[in-house]
Amino acid sequence: MKAFLFIISMLLLFTSRISAQVRLPQLVRDSMILQRDQKVNVWGWAKSGEKITVSFAGKKYRTTARDGQWRIALAPLKAGGPYTMNIDASNHITLKEILIGDVWFCSGQSNMVHQMELHSVLYATDVASANYPQIRQFWVPNITSLQGPEDDLPFGFWKSANPNDVRQFSAVAYFFARKLYDTYKVPIGLINASWGGTPIESWLSEDGFKTFPANLTTIQKNKDTAYINGLSRRASAFVSPPRPDDKGLTGSTKWFDPTYVPKGWRTISVPGYWEDQGVKDLDGTVWYRKEVDVSGSMAAAAAKVFLGRIVDADALYVNGKQVGNTTYMYPQRRYALPAGTLKAGKNLFVVRVTNNGGKGGFVPDKPYQLIAGNDTIELTGYWQYKVGQVFTPQRGFGGGGIALHNQPTALFNAMVAPFVNYSVKGFLWYQGETNAGRPDEYAKLQPALIDDWRSKWNQPNAPFLYVQLPGYMDMSYQPVESQWAAFREAQAKSLSVPNTAMAVAIDLGEWNDIHPDRKKEAGERLALAAQKTVYLEKDQAYLSPMYKSARVEGNHIVVAFDNVGAGLTTNDSEEPGEFAIAGADKKFVWANAKIEGDQVVVSSEKVTAPMYVRYGWADNPVNPNVYNKEGLPLAPFRTDSPNAK
């Protein structure tokens, strides 16, 4: 159905372009925000020779369509509004509720995608109190193009930040915008073009790959529609082995039915993965059941069930009725139970979990609760389980198609190119998890993307603000090598590009969730970075402390930093943690560290001739507790990297 609607949209788009009437891009709509203090473009399509008049803010602008296109540059305006824009040709268009303010193009992968809706438990108050009609978001649909840059989208709308619509705002972008609006009272527009799980390569234009010949070869090959269609046919022709029926769904009485009498069920702990509890290498479905005693007062009220996160998919049944399901691993499971679902006394909870690869089950260290009013029942502990379906391991692959959204230029062409005529204040970027295994390459790709976007917008000094990846995965209690730490270092190298700033997020991660909940701090740290680099605030520290230099003094290393603000401190009143030290052999051991003024002095009795020091060098450092007194965390670093000072 979605594919059919998309085809219809594109047909309507094509039809409108060949008509005589003036047509506007999807972005130029009611309630849009235009960039203040710059010439801004209004553009569209019309029959060649069509005369167009734009009336806006007391001025009239005229042009004539050529080759089916037209564009007018509006004079710069100060922040304000609302304004009305009238466009007259053979047809008449009126656009209302236009504001003048600061427009930010926001992009990246899932942590930029993640809407307030997905974090509405932590930020319930922020959602309920969202009353910011001058903060608006344009959400870009997820579409691809391998053939070249597109000039428009199939659809799109501007929405303002109110308790209903803010749920679909990017959480990071919203908190960024809210902090800037609260500080400057200037309208903030957010154009959010982001797609979960996508690599940086998909966001660059073909011109951005001029120093990456392998990618240019791929781009040219992907332009061959016969080649792409051939891959798709091969993928569709591959038939995976048939899966057996799920015993829990095929018997005379389904396993979620309260009348079902369980036989042969075993005990298992929730949360936890079944591979860690005696079930070896199982891909398939596992059913969990538990009886939960509920009081009469809880049963009378609407309730909600928190089931943490589940790998991969799940369906929840309460007293025989399905009340929720999720089809992939990343969202937190939060299911509403209407009044009447529960009953006083014993209630049967059954969860069917499907896992397609790796460990399956309930992710540890997440909330597992039944909540009604002010009452909470913990759902952790022992459940009963039984395997319903075992998937046959797939041998070999179908030589199948490619994921179009992961191909170089695919998202630039479809989700970025339509906006390059639209003047912006700058760019927000939160991406990297997909590229984390290739830090050396990323150190070149991110500066290439910055240059590419600035060139396409013809704004060579446009600010580029980005989030450094937070802590993630298992914690290590010994000094280790770390790919994620090396990737954070690669991200930090983009700070050598003028007009860039990085929001350090090492303290915002969750070991078991690549989508951590604490989006407010990430957004507000981006806003602080904007205050420093864009709004030129000077009266406090707006950036995290960053490694500056190190010198050896006897058996100590003295480390100096930039952006110390009012001084360095620790957030737990303990000595600085996560410092490691090594001699020429680069065998790192934990170090003693002390803050002395704006420096940290590091030593270890195990290393008498120190040469190198590291801080927070791990996928997920245990206690990166050094901050400036303004509350911003010290960025992880190492002095033994090839380009360290």
Side-chain angles (χ1 to χ4, degrees):
M1 185 63 180
K2 289 182 178 179
F4 175 75
L5 292 175
F6 178 76
I7 291 169
I8 294 299
S9 297
M10 297 308 292
L11 287 173
L12 291 173
L13 193 63
F14 177 75
T15 302
S16 67
R17 288 184 184 177
I18 62 175
S19 69
Q21 291 192 330
V22 167
R23 188 184 69 81
L24 300 174
Q26 295 296 330
L27 182 62
V28 181
R29 287 289 181 267
D30 289 339
S31 302
M32 66 181 171
I33 297 183
L34 298 176
Q35 180 57 45
R36 62 173 170 157
D37 303 329
Q38 294 183 25
K39 288 185 177 181
V40 296
N41 296 316
V42 178
W43 73 98
W45 299 268
K47 184 178 179 180
S48 293
E50 180 93 11
K51 296 186 182 300
I52 297 102
T53 300
V54 175
S55 303
F56 186 66
K59 294 185 178 182
K60 289 185 181 293
Y61 305 84
R62 294 179 173 85
T63 191
T64 301
R66 292 178 175 84
D67 298 324
Q69 300 179 348
W70 60 273
R71 184 167 72 174
I72 287 175
L74 306 180
L77 288 171
K78 298 297 182 183
Y83 294 95
T84 296
M85 180 182 294
N86 287 294
I87 301 170
D88 289 287
S90 57
N91 57 316
H92 175 80
I93 300 172
T94 298
L95 303 180
K96 300 176 182 178
E97 284 295 316
I98 299 170
L99 300 178
I100 310 298
D102 287 339
V103 180
W104 292 87
F105 189 83
C106 313
S107 189
Q109 55 183 109
S110 51
N111 277 306
M112 183 62 85
V113 173
H114 257 226
Q115 300 100 332
M116 291 289 287
E117 177 75 46
L118 297 175
H119 302 274
S120 58
V121 172
L122 179 60
Y123 298 126
T125 300
D126 299 283
V127 170
S129 63
N131 183 23
Y132 289 87
Q134 294 196 337
I135 297 176
R136 299 175 184 175
Q137 176 183 260
F138 185 94
W139 190 271
V140 182
N142 287 169
I143 49 178
T144 64
S145 173
L146 298 180
Q147 302 308 306
E150 300 290 340
D151 55 16
D152 202 6
L153 304 168
F155 56 88
F157 306 94
W158 286 91
K159 299 287 188 180
S160 64
N162 56 67
N164 180 51
D165 291 328
V166 79
R167 290 178 172 274
Q168 299 308 311
F169 276 51
S170 159
V172 168
Y174 173 67
F175 286 121
F176 166 84
R178 193 180 74 174
K179 184 169 181 62
L180 290 184
Y181 182 83
D182 285 343
T183 303
Y184 301 110
K185 297 299 186 288
V186 170
I188 303 292
L190 305 168
I191 302 171
N192 197 305
S194 47
W195 190 329
T198 54
I200 190 173
E201 291 91 336
S202 61
W203 295 102
L204 276 87
S205 77
E206 185 172 348
D207 293 334
F209 287 105
K210 54 183 176 290
T211 59
F212 301 89
N215 292 105
L216 289 174
T217 299
T218 300
I219 292 166
Q220 294 306 313
K221 186 163 57 174
N222 286 346
K223 289 181 180 180
D224 183 349
T225 55
Y227 165 72
I228 296 297
N229 291 338
L231 291 178
S232 298
R233 284 193 297 271
R234 289 168 60 191
S236 62
F238 175 72
V239 179
S240 58
R243 289 179 170 178
D245 293 334
D246 189 323
K247 296 176 184 177
L249 296 173
T250 56
S252 58
T253 305
K254 309 300 187 286
W255 289 359
F256 58 79
D257 194 313
T259 64
Y260 167 74
V261 179
K263 296 180 180 179
W265 289 62
R266 300 176 183 273
T267 301
I268 196 167
S269 182
V270 172
Y273 300 107
W274 60 65
E275 277 88 352
D276 295 334
Q277 301 184 70
V279 181
K280 184 177 181 180
D281 298 334
L282 172 69
D283 298 335
T285 64
V286 176
W287 292 73
Y288 291 71
R289 61 181 283 137
K290 184 181 182 71
E291 289 186 336
V292 180
D293 283 318
V294 175
S295 67
S297 60
M298 287 187 73
K304 50 191 174 184
V305 177
F306 287 3
L307 286 180
R309 282 183 52 233
I310 296 174
V311 182
D312 293 308
D314 66 281
L316 169 65
Y317 303 85
V318 176
N319 295 328
K321 295 181 180 180
Q322 182 173 321
V323 296
N325 75 289
T326 304
T327 58
Y328 64 113
M329 72 171 74
Y330 291 118
Q332 295 205 37
R333 274 54 170 180
R334 294 163 178 166
Y335 299 132
L337 303 185
T341 305
L342 299 173
K343 60 184 180 180
K346 292 188 180 297
N347 291 259
L348 178 64
F349 281 61
V350 177
V351 185
R352 178 180 183 260
V353 179
T354 304
N355 176 243
N356 298 303
K359 291 185 176 182
F362 296 79
V363 175
D365 198 21
K366 292 288 182 183
Y368 294 88
Q369 298 170 326
L370 170 63
I371 304 169
N374 295 321
D375 296 317
T376 299
I377 296 175
E378 293 294 329
L379 299 178
T380 56
Y382 290 112
W383 290 52
Q384 299 299 304
Y385 84 93
K386 191 171 185 177
V387 175
Q389 193 175 19
V390 178
F391 299 159
T392 302
Q394 182 174 307
R395 303 189 183 280
F397 298 92
I402 58 175
L404 298 182
H405 58 282
N406 289 339
Q407 295 302 300
T409 75
L411 302 187
F412 175 88
N413 288 340
M415 296 177 64
V416 180
F419 301 96
V420 298
N421 285 326
Y422 202 90
S423 298
V424 297
K425 187 72 170 181
F427 306 105
L428 300 185
W429 180 248
Y430 192 159
Q431 190 277 338
E433 297 89 344
T434 297
N435 291 88
R438 297 177 283 135
D440 292 340
E441 189 177 16
Y442 200 86
K444 301 174 183 177
L445 284 167
Q446 184 165 281
L449 178 129
I450 297 169
D451 291 343
D452 184 37
W453 285 10
R454 287 173 172 175
S455 173
K456 294 301 181 186
W457 261 269
N458 196 26
Q459 293 182 225
N461 297 311
F464 188 92
L465 314 178
Y466 61 100
V467 179
Q468 189 183 48
L469 293 190
Y472 176 54
M473 297 180 289
D474 293 344
M475 294 180 177
S476 298
Y477 284 83
Q478 291 294 332
V480 292
E481 297 302 323
S482 164
Q483 206 164 54
W484 270 55
F487 186 81
R488 294 185 193 105
E489 180 182 67
Q491 290 181 294
K493 289 179 179 179
S494 288
L495 293 174
S496 63
V497 179
N499 277 6
T500 60
M502 182 177 73
V504 176
I506 191 63
D507 57 334
L508 303 182
E510 300 175 26
W511 74 269
N512 57 3
D513 202 333
I514 203 168
H515 306 122
D517 236 1
R518 294 172 63 190
K519 294 293 190 283
K520 180 184 288 188
E521 292 95 330
E524 291 185 344
R525 289 175 189 177
L526 283 172
L528 288 171
Q531 289 184 257
K532 175 69 174 178
T533 60
V534 181
Y535 301 94
L536 304 179
E537 300 283 1
K538 297 180 180 179
D539 59 345
Q540 69 177 68
Y542 291 88
L543 301 173
S544 277
M546 298 285 297
Y547 168 75
K548 180 180 180 181
S549 62
R551 67 181 187 274
V552 177
E553 292 186 356
N555 63 347
H556 296 72
I557 297 180
V558 180
V559 189
F561 305 93
D562 290 319
N563 308 323
V564 295
L568 297 176
T569 186
T570 58
N571 69 341
D572 56 6
S573 301
E574 300 293 330
E575 293 297 319
E578 297 303 312
F579 281 90
I581 197 170
D585 59 4
K586 294 190 178 182
K587 294 181 179 179
F588 283 88
V589 299
W590 292 127
N592 299 312
K594 293 185 178 181
I595 296 172
E596 295 187 359
D598 293 341
Q599 301 175 328
V600 175
V601 180
V602 185
S603 65
S604 171
E605 61 184 16
K606 298 179 181 179
V607 182
T608 57
M611 291 182 64
Y612 307 109
V613 62
R614 293 177 173 181
Y615 172 76
W617 196 262
D619 295 340
N620 190 15
V622 176
N623 186 33
N625 64 345
V626 180
Y627 288 68
N628 59 26
K629 291 181 180 178
E630 287 77 7
L632 295 173
L634 171 63
F637 68 90
R638 62 175 174 176
T639 66
D640 57 306
S641 63
N643 299 316
K645 300 176 184 177

